[in-house]
Every structure is written in structure tokens, then in C-alpha cells.
Amino acid sequence: MYDLKKGYETAKAFYAQYGIDVDRAIEIADKIPISMHCWQGDDVAGLEKKEDSSLTGGIQSTGNYPGKARNAEELRADIEEAMKYIPGVLKLNLHASYQEADTFVDRNEIEPKHFEKWVNWAVEKGIGLDFNPTYFSHPKGENGTLSCADEEIRKFWIEHGIRCRKIGQYFYEKTGKPCVINHWTPDGDKEIPIDTIGPRKRLKDSYDQIFEATKDVTGVIDGIESKVFGIGLESYTVGSHEFCMGYVMKANQDHIIMTLDTGHYHPTEVVSAKLASIYTFSDHVLLHVSRPVRWDSDHVVSFDDETKAIMEELVRLDKLQDTYIATDFFDGSINRIVAWVTGIRNTRKAILAALLQPVEKMKELEAANDVSARLAYKEEFRAAPFALVWDYYCSQQNKGAGLEWLDAVKKYEAKVLADRK
Ligand code: RNT
Ligand code: ZN
């Protein structure tokens, strides 16, 4: 490893030229919670005691890389291993399908006690828990869930949503940290249906019923997530962007917010361009940080232009603290811990890089209509010596500078993952 301290001092001097306080930026970036999704560890299979745990609902995890977690103990061990190399405050994001019951408990019957082990684990680690109803990978979801025309089935899923909000309150009470719940339903159609509004009216009614039945629940925030399409449901998505945005804005309740998944829009549409409009009307947003590639919305997060642009926009809007940042990707073709560490480190990287920009200066230039200088400033920072700051920060946090973590994960793979047949 090179002289990290020396590199850091050089970078500090670079940023100081523009009045940027690197230590302060690190302090802020370090404290922004990132909600680490549990589902990268087992390709979204879940822990329900049932024969068929195949993933349905228009999402897919491809690849068959050996060593995926087969039970809760292995999953927690893998999460802990990944956490060793991810700097900054983390929460853990669970799906309802990660219940731990001795026998099969259906989605409309889950209770806090089925998540007790996760809660004990989180309390021991001092981290918060977030949650997701699992409105997919279930035989009752074949013709839609919360928008299903069959009232019995729709009731089943409404009950699931209600139970999830109660479990969210339990997480809040036990961890002392608010629980951010994300509601996503895959409901849609392979072809354009004749009745495109009926399912949406039912979805609206289902959300209304879930929130009405749990209006006394505290400590829970609810994101409503849209999607452009899912595999097998290419032509029509009930919970489209317009639907979800309409629902959230009309609900006008502090705890109901929009979830923006960075993989859920048309290819030339970007989340970074949506944030200011939503923040004109809402106080909070839930982000699902992911990476779309052609048909897939869930590649490992990259330190790419759009991820950086999102964090830059949040800093410029002064909304970094008001945005719930969660990761959402699942790649089964590589070591799953490498996937987690890479994607979540990249998320944190983008946050820190965004804080190392002369935002005030650029705002001043813009206010003075000096758009030429604004461009020059913006471009100058694309090649700033950010890696020197990042390496130093990671080493200070004992999370491994550069690729130090990779060897450690490879050792874990040889020692632990290789035995999982
Ligand atoms: C699917 C949504 C959703 C899921 C998780 C597992 O397209 O992004 O958030 O990825 O709930
Ligand atoms: Zn998502």
C-alpha cells in the first residue's frame, strides 16, 4: 500500500484550493445510513419453510456462483463478513420472506416473533432494521397481488401489508431506529389489458386499507415503489411511476413517500433528474440504488455517472439527510459478498465524492449568470483526486483501503463458502 496519509494530505490541499473541507465531508458521508439489502446473499430466495422458493414477479437473479447462503445463520455470517469492508453507518433491509419460523407460516400470518432473531442480531450490532412486504414469489401472486380482481386473494395481500407495518413498528421499538418499509408489487400484464384502470383503483384501495388498518403504527416510514416493467409483464405495470407518484402526493401523509429505484425507468430517464421535482412536494424520498443494464434493473451498483449525479443532486438540494438510501441489486454470477461490498462501497463513495464539490461556489456563479465558469468548475472536479480521500477514509475506518478487502473476502470464500454444497 502506498503512503495513505501523504496521499490524503495532497488531496486535502487540492480541495482546499476551492475552500472544501475534506474532514467535514468525511464526517457527513460516514454518518449517512445506507440500508444494506439482505437479499443479495441468497439471490432473493428467502427463508420460508416451503418447497418452492423460486423467484417470481418479474425479477430475476441470474448466475449460479457457488456458496450462496442456505439458511439464516449463513446469511447473517455473510452479511457480517461484507459489513467488515463497508465503511459508514449501515442498516439492514429485510424482506418478509426472511422470516424465521420453525414451520411454514404464510404471508398473511407473519408476526414480530418470526423476526426475533434478526432483531436480536440487529440490537447486538447496534444497527437499525428496514423492511419489505414480499408481494411476490408466492402461488397467490400469479394473477396480481394488491391489485388482484379476486377479492379473496387481494384480501390476503392486504393482510400481508398490514402485518408488515406492525412488524416495522416492532423493529422500531426494539432497535430505537425508525423502520423504512418499501412496498413494491410486480402486478402487471404481458400484453396491454383492455381495462387499465380497474387494477389501479384496486391497488389504490389496497394501500388505503393497509394504511387505514394500521394508522396507529408508529416509527414506520412507507415508500411506494414504481417500475417501468418486469420480465413476463412487459406491457403494463399497475404500479407505474404516475400511479405511485399520484398515490403518494394525494395521500399527503408524512410517512408515505416515493421510492425511486434507479433501475426502474426508461433507459434515457434518470432518477437524478427527478429528485428536485419530487422534493418540491415531499419532504423525504426513499432511494433504491441499483444499476439497470438492458432488461435488468438490478446489477451491482457502479461508481458511475448516474450514481454520482444522484448524490450530487441530493447535496445541491441539501436533501442528503432527508433521503433514505437503500441498496437493491442481486447478482448470482459472482461471489455474493464481493457484490455487496462493491455495490455498497460504491454507494458510499458517490456520497463522499458529492460532498467534495464546490457547491456554494457553483451556486454563486449560477446566480451571477456566469454559466461558463459554472461549466468549468463542474468539469474540473471530474478528475479530482478523490481516490486518495476514499482510501484514507476506508483505512481510518478499518474497512480496507483500495482492494485490501478483496483478499480477505477470497479467504472467506475458501474457508467458508467453499464448503456449502
Ligand atoms: C423489484 C424492486 C424491488 C425488489 C426488492 C427485492 O424490481 O426493485 O424493490 O428488488 O424488493
Ligand atoms: Zn427496488
Side-chain angles (χ1 to χ4, degrees):
M1 198 42 74
Y2 66 96
D3 187 337
L4 292 169
K5 181 88 179 140
K6 204 167 139 197
Y8 178 66
E9 294 301 338
T10 303
K12 240 175 120 159
F14 171 90
Y15 288 106
Q17 298 177 94
Y18 303 94
I20 297 166
D21 182 343
V22 177
D23 293 316
R24 178 89 189 106
I26 287 179
E27 215 179 289
I28 298 171
D30 185 60
K31 291 205 177 72
I32 300 285
I34 296 180
S35 187
M36 170 180 182
H37 59 307
C38 74
W39 51 91
Q40 166 62 65
D42 68 342
D43 308 343
V44 211
L47 300 170
E48 290 165 306
K49 300 257 177 325
K50 59 182 190 182
E51 299 268 284
D52 180 13
S53 62
S54 53
L55 182 57
T56 67
I59 51 177
Q60 284 184 20
S61 171
T62 56
N64 207 7
Y65 196 86
K68 81 167 161 193
R70 298 165 300 182
N71 54 52
E73 284 68 36
E74 291 180 354
L75 185 58
R76 275 191 284 271
D78 292 358
I79 291 168
E80 285 180 17
E81 179 65 16
M83 283 180 164
K84 285 186 195 162
Y85 315 111
I86 303 169
V89 174
L90 293 174
K91 294 177 87 182
L92 183 73
N93 202 1
L94 284 173
H95 240 285
S97 52
Y98 289 80
Q99 55 155 290
E100 286 179 80
D102 301 333
T103 53
F104 175 70
V105 176
D106 214 346
R107 305 268 170 91
N108 62 338
E109 289 169 342
I110 51 167
E111 291 176 54
K113 66 178 183 202
H114 302 128
F115 296 88
E116 206 184 325
K117 287 189 191 157
W118 284 111
V119 164
N120 292 342
W121 176 86
V123 169
E124 192 193 297
K125 294 222 132 5
I127 65 172
L129 287 175
D130 291 328
F131 202 44
N132 301 255
T134 310
Y135 302 114
F136 54 84
S137 297
H138 191 284
K140 284 199 167 72
E142 271 159 27
N143 294 309
T145 61
L146 293 176
S147 75
C148 191
D150 180 326
E151 282 301 301
E152 274 310 302
I153 292 195
R154 193 162 72 93
K155 241 171 85 190
F156 172 89
W157 290 108
I158 292 170
E159 184 60 28
H160 180 55
I162 290 172
R163 285 176 180 252
C164 285
R165 293 201 79 242
K166 292 182 178 165
I167 292 166
Q169 172 167 345
Y170 162 70
F171 288 177
Y172 163 66
E173 282 164 356
K174 293 289 174 182
T175 64
K177 296 181 173 70
C179 172
V180 180
I181 293 187
N182 181 58
H183 300 261
W184 172 73
T185 70
D187 300 15
D189 203 312
K190 190 177 176 77
E191 299 293 343
I192 296 175
I194 309 306
D195 177 15
T196 52
I197 195 165
R200 287 177 173 138
K201 289 189 164 164
R202 289 192 291 272
L203 180 56
K204 177 192 179 295
D205 178 73
S206 297
Y207 280 139
D208 285 348
Q209 286 195 45
I210 291 169
F211 294 128
E212 177 57 29
T214 53
K215 59 172 184 291
D216 297 332
V217 159
T218 55
V220 172
I221 294 121
D222 297 87
I224 308 288
E225 183 180 21
S226 70
K227 188 170 180 174
V228 63
F229 80 96
I231 302 294
L233 308 162
E234 291 85 356
S235 300
Y236 172 76
T237 302
V238 183
S240 62
H241 176 73
E242 291 75 8
F243 174 88
C244 294
M245 184 146 175
Y247 189 83
V248 169
M249 297 308 167
K250 188 132 197 234
N252 199 21
Q253 291 184 41
D254 288 348
H255 71 96
I256 302 179
I257 66 175
M258 288 189 72
T259 302
L260 301 183
D261 184 309
T262 61
H264 283 196
Y265 295 90
H266 287 282
T268 58
E269 240 185 308
V270 282
V271 164
S272 54
K274 298 182 185 297
L275 291 162
S277 297
I278 293 165
Y279 270 125
T280 306
F281 300 97
S282 274
D283 294 333
H284 297 277
V285 163
L286 169 54
L287 265 190
H288 268 191
V289 189
S290 185
R291 175 167 52 108
V293 177
R294 307 198 190 284
W295 64 268
D296 181 44
S297 61
D298 299 290
H299 271 53
V300 176
V301 171
S302 167
F303 186 56
D304 57 11
D305 285 348
E306 172 56 6
T307 310
K308 288 189 266 187
I310 288 169
M311 301 310 172
E312 285 168 8
E313 181 66 349
L314 290 177
V315 171
R316 291 169 191 173
L317 294 168
D318 197 15
K319 286 293 178 192
L320 203 48
Q321 319 284 345
D322 296 314
T323 306
Y324 302 104
I325 300 176
T327 47
D328 179 17
F329 51 83
F330 26 100
D331 187 340
S333 75
I334 54 174
N335 177 314
R336 292 167 185 81
I337 295 166
V338 172
W340 257 322
V341 175
T342 304
I344 306 174
R345 276 173 80 111
N346 281 340
T347 306
R348 179 82 61 201
K349 254 186 207 170
I351 295 172
L352 180 55
L355 288 161
L356 291 171
Q357 300 220 354
V359 178
E360 290 315 314
K361 179 72 190 173
M362 292 192 290
K363 283 186 178 170
E364 270 168 35
L365 292 168
E366 186 168 87
N369 277 327
D370 190 353
V371 289
S372 321
R374 179 184 65 184
L375 180 66
Y377 266 80
K378 241 200 224 174
E379 291 306 311
E380 186 59 17
F381 278 77
R382 290 190 190 276
F386 171 70
L388 301 176
V389 177
W390 172 254
D391 277 352
Y392 180 75
Y393 162 61
C394 290
S395 83
Q396 288 297 98
Q397 298 294 320
N398 275 321
K399 301 294 183 177
L403 285 175
E404 279 173 350
W405 61 271
L406 187 58
D407 272 345
V409 175
K410 292 268 184 194
K411 279 195 192 117
Y412 182 81
E413 176 167 5
K415 212 176 119 207
V416 180
L417 305 183
D419 283 341
R420 297 180 189 165
K421 295 281 178 284

